[in-house]
Amino acid sequence: MKIGILGCGRIAQKMGNTLKLMGLNKDCYIASRDILKAKKFKEDYDFFDYCNYEELLSNKEIELIYIATVNSMHYKQAKWCLEKGKNVLIEKPITLRINESEELYALAKSKNLFIGEALWTSYMPSIKIINNYLHKYFINITSSLAVFKVNSIIKERVNKKELGGGALFDLGIYPIAITLLTCGFNYKKLIIDNITYQNDVDIKEDFSLIYDNFTSRCIVDATFDRISYLEIKNDDYLMQVTPIECPKNLKIFKNNQLIIDEDISPELTGFEYEINQAIDNINNKKYLPTSWDDKKSLLTLKIMNEIVRFKEDL
């Protein structure tokens, strides 16, 4: 399958490297508004060719386009791709506003095209491993804590509101997603304890998802040195997963004694699973990813929109 990448930034480079490791790069195209950047990207990852956006979308051989641009461009570019008959895999967050995502999912369905949010965590086999242990040891959860702190506010895509920046949409989607993927999507209430802003951009959040019998707390900080972990507890056991965006290690303690220490790292970079699922779904004419379908994607965005809402004038 011929794949195109729209955008040449850091996340596109990680996807380019993944496609090269998977042996798919020879069938890939890279597109950028800056043709010199596209040419360098093509050379770096040994892609088939490079081009501008318009040429990418008009190429009838390309079946899947991965959108790797800044958050504020996802909606317009995904809609453009779908209208041109292209299947799309859109880097998280799929859009900034829930009505935009609903429109994209409806448009893809009307055209029988695949659409997926590339929230890489949700596609990884590690999630199944984590949940297997939860079912074995954590029938009753008493608390959950997901923490993600990275000094990403120094990056323009995060510190510019007009680019769809802010801590929540850059980092906070991961604590929310891994909480839902492990504790369940049937939370009852969202409680926002604290949001800190700097220059009109959110830089810290502290909020909780309330379930029937326990609370899942999420802490996000885009100004701090890297900390990323999930802790789930009950009366007898404690599970620790690190890091939450790309789980690599799982530990379980019973009464403070370590009983399980397992490597759950991805085989390559972690991006391979979303690409493989997209290709498989397209080949089998399934138009939503099974790991992260429209309902899961929209619920996550709904939570984020309740915490930080982007105005229509963005």
Side-chain angles (χ1 to χ4, degrees):
M1 179 179 292
K2 295 194 184 301
I3 299 170
I5 296 181
L6 209 160
C8 287
R10 181 190 60 84
I11 205 74
Q13 292 164 17
K14 185 163 187 173
M15 180 59 79
N17 182 51
T18 303
L19 291 165
K20 186 174 183 179
L21 291 171
M22 295 172 74
L24 301 176
N25 53 308
K26 295 292 188 180
D27 286 325
C28 292
Y29 296 73
I30 180 66
S32 175
R33 294 292 186 194
D34 186 333
I35 205 67
L36 293 179
K37 287 184 178 179
K39 182 180 180 182
K40 185 178 186 308
F41 191 107
K42 184 258 183 192
E43 294 168 351
D44 288 346
Y45 301 103
D46 198 16
F47 273 25
F48 179 76
D49 206 356
Y50 65 96
C51 55
N52 62 36
Y53 291 171
E54 292 77 8
E55 290 168 337
L56 186 75
L57 268 68
S58 64
N59 188 327
K60 297 185 183 304
E61 292 188 334
I62 296 172
E63 295 183 63
L64 172 64
I65 293 179
Y66 169 65
I67 297 174
T69 51
V70 295
N71 295 346
S72 58
M73 297 302 296
H74 290 181
Y75 164 68
K76 291 180 181 178
Q77 291 174 340
K79 185 176 180 181
W80 187 25
C81 291
L82 290 168
E83 288 173 341
K84 291 288 186 178
K86 304 298 186 185
N87 301 287
V88 290
L89 184 63
I90 308 160
E91 185 51 49
K92 65 84 186 167
I94 182 170
T95 65
L96 297 174
R97 307 171 185 86
I98 196 164
N99 63 300
E100 295 172 338
S101 289
E102 289 171 338
E103 182 183 343
L104 292 180
Y105 281 117
L107 179 59
K109 183 177 180 180
S110 72
K111 292 182 171 290
N112 291 323
L113 293 169
F114 172 84
I115 180 172
E117 181 178 23
L119 181 64
W120 61 325
T121 316
S122 64
Y123 297 84
M124 294 182 193
S126 55
I127 295 300
K128 184 176 181 179
I129 296 170
I130 293 167
N131 280 322
N132 285 341
Y133 281 120
L134 286 174
H135 292 150
K136 184 175 181 179
Y137 295 107
F138 294 82
I139 296 174
N140 297 311
I141 296 173
T142 56
S143 68
S144 170
L145 171 64
V147 177
F148 198 7
K149 299 182 179 184
V150 180
N151 189 19
S152 64
I153 198 66
I154 60 174
K155 299 176 182 178
E156 185 179 49
R157 64 178 173 80
V158 182
N159 62 43
K160 299 289 187 184
K161 188 74 170 180
E162 61 270 23
L163 298 182
L168 186 70
F169 280 75
D170 184 51
L171 308 177
I173 189 171
Y174 291 115
I176 295 170
I178 203 162
T179 296
L180 296 174
L181 287 164
T182 55
C183 296
F185 289 79
N186 59 337
Y187 76 97
K188 303 303 179 183
K189 185 179 180 181
L190 167 68
I191 294 179
I192 303 168
D193 294 309
N194 181 62
I195 305 176
T196 303
Y197 286 89
Q198 178 179 292
N199 299 326
D200 200 36
V201 174
D202 62 292
I203 60 172
K204 298 178 185 180
E205 279 89 15
D206 188 339
F207 55 92
S208 298
L209 296 178
I210 310 301
Y211 290 82
D212 280 335
N213 299 311
F214 65 95
T215 296
S216 290
R217 186 182 178 193
C218 298
I219 298 174
V220 183
D221 189 339
T223 70
F224 200 81
D225 291 340
R226 170 174 280 274
I227 298 175
S228 177
Y229 66 89
L230 169 71
E231 287 190 348
I232 296 178
K233 296 180 181 180
N234 66 11
D235 291 337
D236 298 311
Y237 295 96
L238 164 65
M239 176 188 286
Q240 294 177 339
V241 176
T242 57
I244 59 172
E245 70 279 16
C246 180
K248 295 180 180 179
N249 180 258
L250 180 149
K251 289 183 172 69
I252 295 180
F253 299 83
K254 182 178 182 181
N255 299 323
N256 297 320
Q257 295 295 315
L258 180 65
I259 61 170
I260 294 169
D261 188 350
E262 186 169 339
D263 184 346
I264 55 173
S265 301
E267 184 178 355
L268 299 175
T269 67
F271 279 25
E272 63 268 28
Y273 305 110
E274 61 193 47
I275 283 292
N276 278 331
Q277 193 168 131
I279 292 172
D280 183 68
N281 281 20
I282 292 166
N283 286 336
N284 290 285
K285 300 190 183 303
K286 298 178 181 179
Y287 302 109
L288 289 169
T290 52
S291 296
W292 194 250
D293 60 22
D294 55 339
K295 294 182 177 61
K296 294 175 181 178
S297 171
L298 290 170
L299 180 59
T300 304
L301 185 55
K302 173 180 175 289
I303 293 170
M304 291 196 294
N305 277 181
E306 288 180 18
I307 299 169
V308 173
R309 182 176 295 276
F310 281 86
K311 298 178 181 178
E312 295 305 315
D313 59 359
L314 248 188

